[in-house]
Amino acid sequence: MKILFYDTKNYDRESFNDSLKEYPDLSVEYTKSDLDPRTAALAEGFDAVCAFVSSDIGTRTLEILHAKGIKLLLMRCAGFNNVDLQTAGKYGIRVMRVPGYSPEAVAEHAMALALASNRRLHKAYNKVRENDFSLSGLMGFNFYQKTAGIIGTGKIGAAMCHICHGFGMKVLAYDQYQNPSVKDFVEYVSLEQVLSDSDVISLHCPLTDATYHMINIETIRKMKDGVILVNTSRGALVKTDDLIEGIRMHKFAGVGLDVYEEETNNVFEDRSDEILEHSTTARLLSFPNVMITSHQGFFTREALEAIAATTLQNAEAFLSGKDSPNDVK
C-alpha cells in the first residue's frame, strides 16, 4: 500500500520511518503541503492519504481523492470534525483515526498552561531577561485545596482529573458518560455547578453541535471571578469574541489556550515575519493573563510514537479487511 503523508514536519518523518520498519507491506511518501482541494490531486497513484486535524477534508477534497482512487483516509489525530463523513461514506472512503495516543501528554500540557497562566511564568521570564526582578503583576493563587472543574472525562479528561487530585484539589466533572476510573475521587455534577464552583476549568470534550461555543458570554458570567480557563481540546468550544469580553470584564485570573478558533492558518507554521492584521490571536496575546501555545499538547516522544504505530496499524487493518475500533463512522 502506498500512502501519501500530507503536511510533513521533520518529527513526523522520523517517527513514522522508525515505525515503518515493522510494516513491509506499507510505503509512505511525504509532502510538506497540507491536504485541501488544491493539493488533493497529488494523491494520484496512491492508495491512501494521511492527514491531520488542520487539513481541509470537505466535500471538494473528498471528491478529488475519490477521483484519484483513494480508498483510505488516515487521520493521525483523535479529532475528525474537519472531515465530511457523509461524502466520505458516499464514495466508499474509509476513515480511521488515532483516538488515544498519549492522554497524559495533553493533560500534563493543560496543567502546565493552568500553572503558567496563574503564576504569569511567561511574563516573569521576559521580566527577568530584561533584568527586572520585581514581582509586580506576578501574583497567583495556590491550587492546593481549590476546586478543579473538568468538562469531559474521556481518557485525556480522566488524566487531568488524576493530576488535579494529585495537587490536592477537589475535582468536579461534567460529562454525559461518567468514567468509572475516576469516580472514587471525582464528583460528577451539572455543567452549571462546574462553571459556578470551580477555580480552574479545563476543557476536554469533543467538538459537536452540542459543544460548539459552549463557553460563551452566558456561561462565562456563571463562572467565579478570578477563574482560570484552559482549553487543550478544540478551539471552537470557546466563542473567542465572548472570551475577550470576559477577559475585559476581569473575569479570569488566567487563560491558557493550546487551541483557538483562528488557529488553522497558524498550526505548526512560522509566521514571525508577518503582520497578523485583524487577528483575534493578536488580540488575545495583548492580555497579560493569557498564555497561548501552538497546538503542542500532544507533542511528546511517547505521543508521536503512539500516533505512528496506531496509524500504521490502521492501514494494516484496512489491507487485511478487518474491522477496527478506530474507524470513524
Side-chain angles (χ1 to χ4, degrees):
M1 172 187 278
K2 292 180 63 179
I3 304 168
L4 180 59
F5 192 111
Y6 281 91
D7 195 20
T8 305
K9 302 295 188 290
N10 288 338
Y11 47 81
D12 294 316
R13 190 188 303 267
E14 291 169 6
S15 60
F16 270 77
N17 282 346
D18 285 344
S19 296
L20 269 172
K21 300 169 186 175
E22 302 176 20
Y23 299 90
D25 296 332
L26 305 178
S27 65
V28 177
E29 291 187 24
Y30 302 96
T31 176
K32 291 183 178 180
S33 301
D34 202 354
L35 177 56
D36 59 34
R38 299 167 301 169
T39 61
L42 296 173
E44 185 166 5
F46 291 85
D47 306 296
V49 295
C50 183
F52 196 61
V53 68
S54 56
S55 304
D56 177 0
I57 317 174
T59 302
R60 183 57 185 151
T61 298
L62 289 163
E63 287 174 348
I64 298 169
L65 291 177
H66 170 65
K68 299 302 178 183
I70 296 299
K71 298 296 183 182
L72 175 63
L73 170 60
L74 296 165
M75 299 298 296
R76 58 184 189 273
C77 53
F80 52 89
N81 54 282
N82 56 327
V83 181
D84 183 344
L85 294 178
Q86 184 175 357
T87 301
K90 173 184 173 182
Y91 291 127
I93 298 175
R94 187 171 175 182
V95 182
M96 305 181 78
R97 67 177 181 131
V98 184
Y101 31 89
S102 179
E104 292 75 19
V106 181
E108 289 171 11
H109 191 70
M111 179 53 84
L113 283 172
L115 291 167
S117 60
N118 175 39
R119 302 302 291 268
R120 305 288 194 272
L121 295 187
H122 52 303
K123 187 174 181 179
Y125 174 77
N126 288 327
K127 281 165 64 82
V128 171
R129 280 178 61 88
E130 296 175 1
N131 296 328
D132 180 356
F133 302 99
S134 68
L135 299 181
S136 59
L138 303 181
M139 183 179 292
F141 61 85
N142 290 3
F143 280 11
Y144 178 65
Q145 293 189 334
K146 297 299 192 302
T147 299
I150 312 302
I151 300 178
T153 54
K155 292 181 179 180
I156 298 173
M160 185 62 169
C161 289
H162 281 284
I163 291 171
C164 293
H165 181 63
F167 268 69
M169 304 181 79
K170 176 181 178 181
V171 185
L172 303 179
Y174 170 75
D175 200 316
Q176 290 181 319
Y177 307 99
Q178 298 186 6
N179 189 332
S181 71
V182 297
K183 290 186 71 174
D184 287 347
F185 62 91
V186 170
E187 181 183 355
Y188 279 92
V189 296
S190 66
L191 176 61
E192 287 70 21
Q193 187 172 346
V194 168
L195 295 172
S196 64
D197 291 5
S198 300
D199 301 288
V200 178
I201 296 173
S202 193
L203 307 181
H204 299 285
C205 49
L207 179 61
T208 65
D209 290 342
T211 61
Y212 177 74
H213 282 177
M214 68 183 304
I215 303 301
N216 53 57
I217 196 60
E218 288 77 20
T219 52
I220 288 170
R221 287 196 174 106
K222 295 177 181 178
M223 298 177 188
K224 284 184 177 181
D225 291 340
V227 68
I228 289 175
L229 176 68
V230 175
N231 187 11
T232 56
S233 187
R234 290 290 176 267
L237 296 175
V238 179
K239 188 175 182 180
T240 308
D241 288 342
D242 287 7
L243 175 64
I244 290 171
E245 183 177 348
I247 294 169
R248 287 175 172 157
M249 291 163 49
H250 301 282
K251 193 69 175 178
F252 299 100
V255 175
L257 303 175
D258 191 45
V259 292
Y260 47 95
E261 286 189 291
E262 197 184 61
E263 71 174 340
T264 302
N265 293 329
N266 298 339
V267 172
F268 313 146
E269 301 300 327
D270 181 358
R271 303 185 66 191
S272 57
D273 291 332
E274 301 178 36
I275 296 174
L276 304 181
E277 296 181 3
H278 312 296
S279 168
T280 54
T281 310
R283 292 168 67 195
L284 285 168
L285 287 170
S286 69
F287 298 108
N289 60 338
V290 175
M291 186 169 186
I292 298 179
T293 53
S294 186
H295 209 122
Q296 69 182 76
F298 77 100
F299 197 51
T300 64
R301 293 185 188 90
E302 295 83 355
L304 288 176
E305 291 168 0
I307 288 169
T310 303
T311 301
L312 296 174
Q313 288 165 13
N314 288 344
E316 282 280 9
F318 175 84
L319 270 181
S320 60
K322 294 179 180 179
D323 291 332
S324 169
N326 300 334
D327 281 301
V328 179
K329 299 177 180 179

